Amino acid sequence: MDPITAYGLATAIITFVDFGTKVAKRAKELSEAGDIPAVFRDIKTRLPLIIDIIVHTRSETDNLSPEAQEAFKEVVRQSFKQVAQLDEILKKVTVSRGESLLKKTVKAGISLVEEGRVQKIAIALKDNVQLLTSLNVRSAEREKPTVKRWPTEPLPSYKDATGLFLLPFSRDEQFVGRESQLQSIASSFRTQRRVAVSGMGGVGKSQVAIEYSYRFKESNPVAHVLWVYGGNIARFYQGYKRIAQSLEIPGWDDPDESVLELVCSWLSRTTSSYLLIVDNADNIEHWWPGKYKSGSSLDDPSKNLSKYLPDGLSNSNVLITTRDNRVASRLAKAAKPIVLQPMSKEEARALFLSKIEDDASNFDPMEIYRLLEELDHLPLAVSQAAAFIQENGVSIADYTNALHGEEAEEFLDEELDDSRRDEESVNSVFRTWKLSFDQIKQQKPRAAELLSLLAMLDRQSIPRFLLKMPGVTTSLAVLQSFNLVTTRAGSQSFQIHRLVQRFVQLALQREVTIQKWQETALACVSRDYPTEIGVAEWPTCDALAPHVHVLTGYSFETIEARLDLAHLLCWAADFDIERGMYVQALARAGQSLEIFEQLVPEDDERLAAATWLYGRLRYYQARSASDMDAAAGILSKALSISKNPSLNFAESAFELAHLYYDQCNGKACLEMGKASFECWEKLEGLRSVRTLDNMHDYALELALLGQEDEGIAKWEEIIERCPASDASENTKTVYTYRSRAGIVEFQGDAAMAEILYAKLITLCEGMYHSGHIHIFDYRLSHAEQIMRQGRLEEATRLSEAILASCDNTSEWRIRASCLQTIAECYRLSTYYDKEQKYRLKTLDLHMKNLGRNHKETINAEEALADCYLNSSRSSAATELYQGVFTWRKLELGEKHTDTGRAIECVGICYAQQGQDSNAEATYLDALSRTSNVDARLLENLCISLERQGKWDKLESWSRQLCGFNQSKSHWSLITALERQGKMEEALEIRARFLAVNASAQNEPEGRRLPSIPPVRDDRRFGRMIHPRTWSA
């Protein structure tokens, strides 16, 4: 709060005189102390002078005009500010008795560094002295007789001065960029007399105006160039006074004449060409006090500054710079202002290098670009950074890193010594924005509150629906008018500049209110985040995703806020699952579970939900059998916590059914699958969508685990039930077609399954977006049915089209399934080289996403080994099969069918390489692992025995093989008997065999090859490809 508002004018002057006298005394002592910059000595004379004049003027205020009185108050305010700054500097540089030589040297150095700031204070004090002297002269001259002028008498013809250049700033010889904006100013003046340049603080408005002034003067040498500071009333009055005096406008020294009216009138009527620059017209209350300010001596609309801007002839040009777009558009008479944005990347680089004395080749270009990106290419910030780096020897990388740390405020609050900025314009980024922030808090407190909220969110794409504060529309308008917030996407989302966000955050830290605004932002996002996520909720979740990311990085202290965070983490993790972002989802679910474990009772359903979600994600991310066991333990715990029936119980059972299926635990899988759909049945009824969804999964589990008839019966029951009447007709049709597709596929009718999947694709394309998981699923199933009918080229073409359209999706399992289908088509076509390409891609996807020790990765590895074996690359296949066998023996057990297949394939590889003794031993190992002897395995063993000439063993195993009625086994037995000289029995078996098999007159010719076990028939269906996604 300014001193006049706090104390009243009289008390403020007394306080100032007391404070100023003490500072003046300290300045005098310092100036007499020795070798210090000369400017410190200037202060010791100017400060006492302004104190005396203020005391004298106070006794004459009753004789001052209203505008002069307001100017006097502004001088007092500014003098308070300047003396306070001087006091701060003097404390830094004053040497105390007994201080060491080192401290004295350091303080001497500080005095040199602060010389620029003291120089500005000295200039400001000098201007204040001149203005106060002018006010006193006018007061003294009030008693002089004046010439009477009648209202109807025309104004006198003033002396027409030529070519004045009243610009208080030198030209920047290293000015870079802004060419398009300078051209826009010039072109705008061709059609309008007033042009406004607006933009956020520090964007370079004044610098553009200075450069334009010099260019204007070069093009118009006889024209006047006049500069007025519009940041406060006193300086505006002082600027007009200087213009009047320089132009020698009659009456400028007449105490009865209003200087503001004189200058405005002269500029409105003169035929001389001129450019008037009104810089920093930021405070709307100074321009229209009657509308925007209350309780002031300028409440009268006739006393506002806006009426003193001239409406000149065609030769007049008025250029206004302001942070406030409202001021810009009104002063420019509704003409659209030229909004100055931060510099382009190349402009900012050129500006940075122009402020650095070192050669550009000494800097890493990428470090420069990273720094400029952090500074949002804001000219003042760029210049400030260059000066800091130059003066302090800081590296660019260190400065960039500091912007993210606790030193950011120190770096960005450092004053930049720039002679081309007005002495009352602060020369640091943060101080610049503090002026705007303080002004907003005064004019529109709710706008400042809204900015505090926005600073706690992600700075980009802040959705409009998130902002439900009172007065949000007008508050946003104020923030936009100051260019602190910009509009995106048809006013439905907003963004805040990076450094503005950092400034507000640091300001709130100083005020110890940042925790409050973080909690407010969390409450806003939690309030609008969907608690159940389907297709319709995707846009909302997507819009809130970056803000969730920011909020989850904060530390909250209150229980209420921490519980809000835990819920938000759960919902966001659910959306991450929908997008296939499982790593992030797992981290969020773990963080949520940790909070609930600390804050809620052990039997709380919120804890059950968080435990289920975390266990679900541990399952999706499992990379080994131990990971699967851990996930099963977590999900079982969630099941035990959950009430039955409840959503948490149903979902935990559902995930456990999937997990047990992957662990080849069929009994437990069916138990949990049944428990899940029965729980939904109790919760929502026989015909609810979720009951039928879970019933469909149970039917699929039955069919996949060999109980096809029971599975088909469940699908038929789903068709009879159909979803409840509140479901759409399309949803009902989807359930019917999906169930029928399951029935006919497991009945072996691929042609009918193809038709049903085609219908499902058409239906779902009308219900979901084109990239929805179900559409990909049904397209894959459709291609698979075509493959099963032998139309391999068509199935390959369809699968490749699916792969191309889902290439960017985060659901990697879809891509893996496409690759598997294409590879299978090439296998059936015996194009093994092409098959190998897609098997390798499939294995690579599984390795990256599931790890080496996952069941699905092992299956993909086995499929690649099959490909190598079929293409006679038995050496490469051997190594893969041995790895598959080792994993399955440990994880599935020695007696498991899949374990036996792997070891049998190792034997086939040995046989292909001519290592029949190794093949024999491997086949015998495989036989020992199964209770059901397989004819193919026995036949492969017999081939190896025959090649080795082990006729007695061949005889023994061939007799067992004959029990399977294999024609080749009879020939093996006959050969074994003949080689052992058992001709009579050999002839008897041959005759008996030929009597039954008349077509087999001769035994097989050539080298017999072992038979490869059949390929695994893995059927996908929806849940086998992706995590749980409901159809409805």
Side-chain angles (χ1 to χ4, degrees), residues 280-296:
N280 287 320
D282 299 328
N283 195 333
I284 200 169
E285 294 178 351
H286 292 160
W287 297 90
W288 296 276
K291 182 175 182 180
Y292 295 100
K293 188 175 183 180
S294 59
S296 166

Side-chain angles (χ1 to χ4, degrees), residues 112-176:
L112 294 173
V113 173
E114 296 288 0
E115 183 178 6
R117 288 181 66 190
V118 177
Q119 180 67 43
K120 290 182 180 180
I121 294 171
I123 293 172
L125 291 174
K126 178 183 177 182
D127 289 343
N128 288 340
V129 168
Q130 292 176 347
L131 181 56
L132 287 171
T133 302
S134 170
L135 294 174
N136 276 289
V137 168
R138 290 186 58 186
S139 174
E141 291 181 347
R142 276 193 170 273
E143 303 303 322
K144 292 183 179 180
T146 58
V147 179
K148 184 176 182 181
R149 183 177 298 129
W150 299 101
T152 56
E153 186 178 339
L155 289 171
S157 59
Y158 300 138
K159 176 183 177 182
D160 194 3
T162 302
L164 285 178
F165 192 68
L166 301 181
L167 197 65
F169 310 107
S170 61
R171 190 172 193 175
D172 187 354
E173 299 300 333
Q174 296 177 318
F175 185 86
V176 296

Side-chain angles (χ1 to χ4, degrees), residues 22-61:
K22 292 178 182 178
V23 174
K25 181 179 178 182
R26 193 181 300 126
K28 180 180 178 182
E29 292 172 353
L30 181 65
S31 67
E32 295 172 352
D35 187 19
I36 61 169
V39 68
F40 283 86
R41 298 189 179 92
D42 295 339
I43 287 290
K44 76 168 186 177
T45 57
R46 290 180 182 170
L47 186 53
L49 179 60
I50 197 170
I51 293 171
D52 290 341
I53 298 175
I54 285 177
V55 172
H56 177 74
T57 307
R58 172 68 187 95
S59 62
E60 301 291 337
T61 51

Side-chain angles (χ1 to χ4, degrees), residues 349 352-353 356-368 389-390 394-397:
R349 179 180 180 275
F352 178 81
L353 293 176
I356 296 285
E357 294 178 2
D358 293 346
D359 192 287
S361 61
N362 294 333
F363 299 103
D364 182 348
M366 291 309 299
E367 287 188 357
I368 293 177
I389 290 169
Q390 184 74 34
V394 177
S395 71
I396 294 176

